[in-house]
Amino acid sequence: MDSQGFREAAATAIDEIAGYYDNLDDRDVVSTVEPGYLRKLLPSEAPVEGEAWTDIQKDIEGKILPGITHWQHPGFHAFFPCATSFPSILGELYSAALSGACFNWICSPAVTELETVVLDWLAKVLGLPECYLSTGPTRGGGVIQGSASEAVLTAMVAARDKYLRETVPLEQFPEGSEAREDAIAHKRSKMVALATTATHSSTKKAAIILGVRFHTIAVHADTGYSLTGPVLAKTLADLRARGLEPFFMTATLGTTDTCAVDDFAGIVSTLKSDPVYPAGAPGELWVHIDAAYAGSALVLPSVQEQVSISLIENFHSFDMNMHKWLLTNFDASCLYVRDRNWFIQALTINQAVYGNKASEGGLVTDYREWQIPLGRRFRSLKIWFVLRSYGVKGLQKYISRTIKLGEEFADQLKSRPDLFEILTGPSFALTVFRVAGKEQGKSEEELNALTKAVCEKINASGRMWVTSTALDGSFAIRMVTSVSTTEKEHVDRAWKILVDAAEEVVKA
Ligand code: PLP
């Protein structure tokens, strides 16, 4: 394909994509193909001769779209959204055109510098404390990662390195000595990462990958599924009594099941008065804030205040996915650290082939030292396009609108106490509910079975898709209203489908 061929093909591709969005609501939300459908439609070998673009493009509608579940569909109320927008898609297009493995500043100075600038912009929009800015007093800063899972792994690597540096004294165990290696190996066997039963599984996965112990703190409905200071204090004491060494914890702003927010004030106060390793002293517990989804709502000053975002200056790292709720397509996980040296010390390995004058001069940021892979894409471009196209006001308007849709949906649930019971929310456009019936003497098993039947029925409609969870043993439906194409009419439609299904199931 030459540049003229590209011009023509791209025009038809863009036209098809725009049409896809215009008519998205005509499709069912979830793909209904059978496993293995695609192998039956495709040849078993790659073509020997190149094919014409028109033939290739035809297969998008004919072969690929049947196997697509439409995450941008207005009836998509499942999981959390996976955002996109036209400015973001344009950012991806330019990024693909300027493709490179931009691991060092010199590999494309604009890639590094734009990332630093837009992540500072974003930190200010979200109201993050100054220490997370690249220009802040502690030389913090942000870096774009592929996912919240990658972000928590990166933070945990840095936390492990920091803890070992601070608790295996160099005077006693000199650098490079066998004694140091032994002391580190011994300590590693006792180090434990913490999370709660509501924390996303990515923290456990990071602990598994790193080969450190993992401890789960149980949280229940009595605290709104959030971690409190006293529970943390008791956990730390219990673990230490067993000879273990807690070094890392994920606290969450917007848990996956219910959008709970851990008690930041309680955690700060517990860690400040920790009898063994108080906050700020060597060996302190590294606290990573996972705000993968709900972090986007920090564009609203009222949310910044509600969750006391200023308190995270006491923590160590913070991550939010613009690709969930902030109109930027996958992947755009924005990870911030209070002191960039924590990443750099843990993740820098020099190899002659990557040496260059700019890096050696110490005046530039080389993001390869802030992440696990070497190469990296030009992801800041789409963030730049989104922030500029919508402006802070546009983003605030969009987030407020989707939160309001969630509140209206919860009001509808409340208007039918004979049919539904809200278990949590509405919180950040997520309400978790089940079929009512406790008062009428229905058992947990009966309620679970009824709720499951309703969930299956509404999903079978094709017009909407919700996912479920289990809260303290109760099967519950999660309804999310934050996809950008979802309007009031779609939530009303979902409500009608839900009421019809529940009435039918309860009567049966
Ligand atoms: N953290 C939370 C709170 C989540 O809800 C999710 C996914 O929904 C993740 C982390 C993992 O996100 P990612 O797919 O970016 O790894």
Side-chain angles (χ1 to χ4, degrees):
M1 191 182 282
D2 59 14
S3 61
Q4 186 51 31
F6 173 67
R7 258 187 207 100
E8 287 159 17
T12 61
I14 298 290
D15 194 46
E16 187 173 34
I17 290 168
Y20 166 80
Y21 276 91
D22 288 344
N23 301 307
L24 200 43
D25 198 24
D26 297 346
R27 299 177 189 265
D28 280 357
V29 185
V30 183
S31 166
T32 54
V33 296
E34 295 293 328
Y37 89 100
L38 196 52
R39 186 169 283 281
K40 293 186 196 134
L41 297 179
L42 298 184
S44 54
E45 311 287 337
V48 175
E49 303 290 342
E51 298 178 49
W53 167 249
T54 43
D55 292 339
I56 300 169
Q57 189 181 16
K58 260 203 324 262
D59 284 346
I60 290 288
E61 183 63 54
K63 298 189 168 79
I64 297 301
L65 284 177
I68 291 293
T69 289
H70 304 283
W71 286 66
Q72 313 309 323
H73 193 291
F76 186 98
H77 305 292
F79 307 112
F80 287 135
C82 195
T84 191
S85 63
F86 293 124
S88 177
I89 293 171
L90 290 172
E92 281 292 0
L93 191 59
Y94 276 106
S95 168
L98 304 173
S99 182
C102 302
F103 44 84
N104 279 343
W105 176 87
I106 192 61
C107 294
S108 272
V111 174
T112 295
E113 296 200 9
L114 187 64
E115 186 157 333
T116 306
V117 171
V118 295
L119 286 195
D120 277 351
W121 282 11
L122 180 69
K124 291 180 193 168
V125 173
L126 301 179
L128 303 190
E130 242 199 318
C131 57
Y132 288 99
L133 296 178
S134 72
T135 51
T138 48
R139 300 263 302 143
V143 57
I144 306 171
Q145 304 269 329
S147 67
S149 305
E150 212 178 305
V152 70
L153 178 62
T154 307
M156 205 185 283
V157 171
R160 181 177 67 178
D161 184 74
K162 177 176 182 291
Y163 186 80
L164 289 168
R165 215 173 31 247
E166 292 175 352
T167 60
V168 181
L170 273 170
E171 311 79 61
Q172 202 180 340
F173 303 101
E175 196 63 67
S177 68
E178 207 165 308
R180 184 166 189 83
E181 244 182 72
D182 288 345
I184 285 179
H186 181 62
K187 195 164 274 282
R188 275 188 177 202
S189 70
K190 295 188 291 177
M191 287 168 66
V192 52
L194 311 181
T196 77
T197 40
T199 309
H200 188 265
S201 54
S202 47
T203 295
K204 182 172 185 179
K205 196 172 195 176
I208 291 170
I209 293 169
L210 291 189
V212 295
R213 292 170 189 256
F214 178 71
H215 178 83
T216 314
I217 307 168
V219 290
H220 301 286
D222 58 345
T223 62
Y225 298 97
S226 80
L227 175 67
T228 62
V231 171
L232 173 61
K234 182 171 179 328
T235 305
L236 294 174
D238 289 351
L239 290 170
R240 286 175 181 144
R242 287 169 48 199
L244 299 177
E245 302 194 27
F247 76 103
F248 177 93
M249 181 176 78
T250 296
T252 310
L253 194 174
T255 58
T256 312
D257 289 323
T258 68
C259 268
V261 180
D262 286 328
D263 174 12
F264 294 165
I267 294 170
V268 169
S269 124
T270 291
L271 294 179
K272 278 194 172 153
S273 56
D274 186 272
V276 182
Y277 290 127
E284 64 176 342
L285 187 78
W286 177 302
V287 182
H288 172 73
I289 300 298
D290 176 3
Y293 164 70
S296 296
L298 291 170
V299 297
L300 300 174
S302 58
V303 173
Q304 295 170 15
E305 203 174 312
Q306 177 199 329
V307 304
S308 307
I309 198 64
S310 58
L311 286 178
I312 73 164
E313 69 181 8
N314 297 285
F315 302 145
H316 301 77
S317 49
F318 169 95
D319 180 65
M320 60 80 66
N321 285 351
M322 281 190 81
H323 65 246
K324 275 187 163 48
W325 195 9
L326 216 48
L327 300 168
T328 309
N329 61 281
F330 198 77
D331 50 347
S333 191
C334 302
L335 170 64
Y336 291 90
V337 68
R338 218 175 70 202
D339 179 346
R340 63 182 58 197
N341 280 319
W342 295 331
F343 282 171
I344 294 170
Q345 282 172 305
L347 292 165
T348 300
I349 296 184
N350 287 319
Q351 193 172 342
V353 70
Y354 302 126
N356 67 86
K357 234 164 81 188
S359 298
E360 280 138 29
L363 292 175
V364 298
T365 298
D366 288 334
Y367 277 123
R368 74 185 164 98
E369 298 172 342
W370 300 46
Q371 64 173 25
I372 290 160
L374 173 74
R376 54 204 330 275
R377 304 193 305 117
F378 197 176
R379 289 176 289 208
S380 53
L381 209 47
K382 62 190 170 190
I383 296 179
W384 193 41
F385 287 4
V386 167
L387 293 176
R388 290 180 65 184
S389 299
Y390 288 88
V392 178
K393 279 193 183 158
L395 297 176
Q396 289 172 335
K397 195 169 154 205
Y398 157 62
I399 295 285
S400 302
R401 182 178 73 74
T402 56
I403 288 178
K404 185 154 175 273
L405 287 178
E407 288 165 352
E408 287 166 355
F409 176 76
D411 286 342
Q412 285 170 316
L413 286 174
K414 285 179 204 155
S415 74
R416 292 297 306 265
D418 57 317
L419 279 182
F420 304 110
E421 176 195 0
I422 292 181
L423 297 180
T424 69
S427 178
F428 300 110
L430 165 68
T431 303
V432 185
F433 64 98
R434 67 172 175 176
V435 170
K438 221 168 164 189
E439 266 97 72
Q440 294 99 293
K442 286 206 169 69
S443 69
E444 276 296 312
E445 289 71 36
E446 283 172 297
L447 290 175
N448 285 353
L450 288 171
T451 309
K452 198 164 183 206
V454 170
C455 187
E456 283 168 6
K457 214 171 183 40
I458 58 183
N459 284 344
S461 73
R463 299 284 69 216
M464 62 183 289
W465 193 32
V466 290
T467 38
S468 60
T469 188
L471 293 184
D472 286 334
S474 299
F475 182 95
I477 298 173
R478 294 170 73 265
M479 170 82 180
V480 179
T481 55
S482 40
V483 170
S484 64
T485 57
T486 304
E487 299 287 346
K488 176 89 173 91
E489 66 185 274
H490 305 111
V491 178
D492 288 346
R493 179 175 73 191
W495 169 245
K496 187 170 176 333
I497 295 169
L498 177 64
V499 170
D500 289 349
E503 283 178 338
E504 217 175 293
V505 165
V506 169
K507 258 192 232 135

